[in-house]
Amino acid sequence: MKKTMTLAALALAFVLAFAGAASANVGINEKFGLPIVVYGGDLSADEKAQVAESLDVAGEAEVEEIEVTGEDLVTYITDGDARARMYSSAKITRTEEGEGLVIEIATPDNITQVTTDMYANAMLTAGIENATVEVAAPKAVTGHSALVGIYKAYEVNGEQLDPERTDVANDELSVATELSEGGVEQEKVSELLTEIKKQIAEQNPATREDVEQIVEEQLSRLQIELSPEDRQLLVDLMDRIRQLDIDFSKWSTELEDLSNTIGDKIGTVVNDEGFWESVKQFFRDLANTVRGWFN
């Protein structure tokens, strides 16, 4: 009964928020331009339409639509394979300074390896700071190609991303998914990466040995066990991050925000994982219902 009442209260809050957002619609943001939808270049026409529905493209006043291909992968990632298959897609809406990154996976059953926090961590490494990003795929995929699409969207918008940072960000995403496949919970992987990067930002380590010490301290603090091979991957990644041209004083605040978000999620899962999964599904169903009212 208590859970039913909680769901009802959440539903009411959602509907009120939806109505408020609709009444506050200000149209196209002329400061940042149109939202950009990046479709995986290997989608069929039917799959592309399915992704467009998942990303609610029809609900936007106007969008810019582009495609990301294996050729783009080569542009942003060292040793990228131009023959790579690109299915995961994204909608990117730039936001005001200080609003941070808001990531949503619109098709959670179809993005099998990359979590919202993994995307956020990698985007910060790449130099993307303030945006709302929605990711979707029409079938089960890992979700890696969406990150390349996000890079392309930013450059279409006139931003110039540092190719070394985008390459390291891709490496970070690969390490994150490898650690989770090795048995570490996905949220714990995101927490680990964020906390190590926070310490790099605060301590400004001068050597690889300093980075290795930070990694060991955070592994111990978070009680995470890794194989020697995975530890090496993690140290290699963080040493690359140490050497990037990043304003670490600014980065520290952004990472603190991300750390708090991840901590909240972990606490929620620990409290009642099954219940909150039902809440997420409830909201997905409710969103579809409310959207139907306006169609």
Side-chain angles (χ1 to χ4, degrees), residues 30-189:
E30 295 177 306
K31 180 177 180 180
F32 295 123
L34 302 174
I36 296 180
V37 178
V38 190
Y39 296 103
D42 291 295
L43 296 174
S44 67
D46 287 344
E47 288 172 335
K48 184 175 178 179
Q50 188 177 336
V51 166
E53 182 177 355
S54 297
L55 295 176
D56 192 25
V57 173
E60 299 288 346
E62 192 175 343
V63 298
E64 183 172 357
E65 297 176 280
I66 61 176
E67 287 189 351
V68 62
T69 68
E71 294 296 333
D72 296 307
L73 187 68
V74 173
T75 299
Y76 300 108
I77 298 172
T78 302
D79 299 327
D81 187 352
R83 299 168 299 174
R85 308 293 286 177
M86 314 291 275
Y87 294 105
S88 52
S89 308
K91 180 170 72 175
I92 301 93
T93 305
R94 294 175 61 195
T95 55
E96 295 286 350
E97 181 74 25
E99 292 192 19
L101 293 170
V102 178
I103 316 295
E104 177 189 352
I105 297 178
T107 56
D109 292 338
N110 289 340
I111 303 296
T112 62
Q113 287 189 348
V114 186
T115 67
T116 55
D117 297 319
M118 289 179 188
Y119 279 123
N121 249 315
M123 288 170 66
L124 282 177
T125 298
I128 298 171
E129 298 175 2
N130 299 288
T132 297
V133 178
E134 300 165 70
V135 179
K139 54 190 172 187
V141 296
T142 61
H144 288 78
S145 66
L147 189 62
V148 179
I150 293 165
Y151 298 158
K152 185 172 183 178
Y154 260 72
E155 298 219 327
V156 166
N157 240 335
E159 299 274 348
Q160 185 65 46
L161 297 176
D162 181 342
E164 185 176 4
R165 289 185 66 167
T166 59
D167 185 53
V168 174
N170 182 73
D171 190 13
E172 180 177 338
L173 205 60
S174 296
V175 170
T177 54
E178 183 151 345
L179 293 182
S180 65
E181 287 179 343
V184 184
E185 293 179 3
Q186 291 178 325
E187 296 295 350
K188 293 294 286 184
V189 170

